[in-house]
Amino acid sequence: AGNLLTMILGKYPGPRGLLFDLPHNAVDAAAFIQTRSMADRVTFQPGSFFESIPSGPDLYLMSHIIHDWSEDQCFTILANFRKAMAPNSRLLLIEMVLPSDNSPHPGKMLDIIMLTAPGGQERTESEYRTLLDKAGFKLTRVVPSADNTVFSVDIVPEALCDPDLENRARQLFPKMVPSATAEPVVAATTTLRTNALLRLVMAAPRIDRSFLS
């Protein structure tokens, strides 16, 4: 309903926001945005990321979305972002990023839930890099949260990488990866499912998915 987007805009007064969500969420989103006093800075645009993505924003945010879907569905979503993004746009994924070894991490339990329920999966940094490379993106960096469970995955279109973008972006959003224009626009897509952050730490290795192929 715009919680993440309005939190970011509340901290950074310059940007405007575009909330992209399914049409039936418009009324609730408008009411929530009003409670945050952001009606003049946030625009709601109905749609589905399986069909198209709004063009124009400088920074696109997807929070806990990619892990919901199968690899083919992820390619569809990412391809639509790729079509919509301008040369100076960036895409920020907020996801759990699994450790590459068998160290404890709550994402390992969530990985099993993703497999058995919606059919998605959690990924390591290497697995995200592979997925994004195939979709025509370049992963530029992975930034952990304070408790090291949720990560920001910063990516740009492969053919549109600009080494000066990050320096200009820091002037607008210190410690974030945002727009590079005078009046940045942040677009946020919301999850189609409610994802609980599980605090159960599992020390076991990840489940072997090879039997699925």
Side-chain angles (χ1 to χ4, degrees):
N3 181 55
L4 176 62
L5 179 59
T6 54
M7 285 180 63
I8 293 172
L9 296 182
K11 186 171 182 179
Y12 300 98
R16 294 175 291 108
L18 186 153
L19 179 61
F20 184 62
D21 202 349
L22 295 174
H24 67 261
N25 291 319
V27 174
D28 289 342
F32 180 80
I33 292 167
Q34 186 64 45
T35 66
R36 293 286 178 90
S37 301
M38 292 280 180
D40 59 336
R41 295 178 60 198
V42 177
T43 301
F44 182 91
Q45 182 164 336
S48 167
F49 48 51
F50 285 116
E51 298 173 359
S52 65
I53 299 293
S55 59
D58 306 286
L59 172 67
Y60 291 86
L61 291 171
M62 282 199 291
S63 178
H64 300 287
I65 289 178
I66 289 298
H67 78 155
D68 280 341
W69 307 101
S70 69
E71 185 165 290
D72 287 343
Q73 290 171 316
C74 287
F75 286 141
T76 297
I77 296 168
L78 292 168
N80 286 332
F81 274 95
R82 184 68 177 79
K83 293 174 185 176
M85 293 174 71
N88 64 339
S89 297
R90 302 188 85 127
L91 173 59
L92 192 65
L93 305 182
I94 301 176
E95 297 280 357
M96 285 190 171
V97 178
L98 299 180
S100 57
D101 57 19
N102 290 332
S103 57
H105 194 277
K108 292 180 177 180
M109 181 62 182
L110 192 56
D111 186 41
I112 297 175
I113 294 174
M114 291 296 105
L115 171 64
T116 57
Q121 69 177 90
E122 305 302 324
R123 292 176 171 84
T124 64
E125 180 177 340
S126 176
E127 289 169 333
Y128 269 111
R129 193 176 300 276
T130 299
L131 175 73
L132 296 167
D133 283 347
K134 290 180 180 179
F137 287 94
K138 177 181 176 61
L139 190 156
T140 60
R141 66 174 180 168
V142 176
V143 181
S145 62
D147 61 1
N148 209 42
T149 57
V150 181
F151 294 74
S152 299
V153 181
D154 175 30
I155 58 180
V156 293
E158 180 67 45
L160 305 176
C161 299
D162 181 348
D164 295 326
L165 274 179
E166 189 161 333
N167 290 332
R168 292 181 296 183
R170 288 182 184 278
Q171 298 175 8
L172 292 169
F173 295 90
K175 299 182 181 180
M176 288 189 65
V177 185
S179 159
T181 66
E183 190 179 17
V185 177
V186 179
T189 62
T190 64
T191 56
L192 300 185
R193 298 184 179 90
T194 300
N195 299 308
L197 179 59
L198 301 177
R199 294 296 178 181
L200 175 62
V201 177
M202 294 191 64
R206 289 185 66 197
I207 187 169
D208 182 1
R209 294 169 174 265
S210 61
F211 71 92
L212 296 175
S213 58

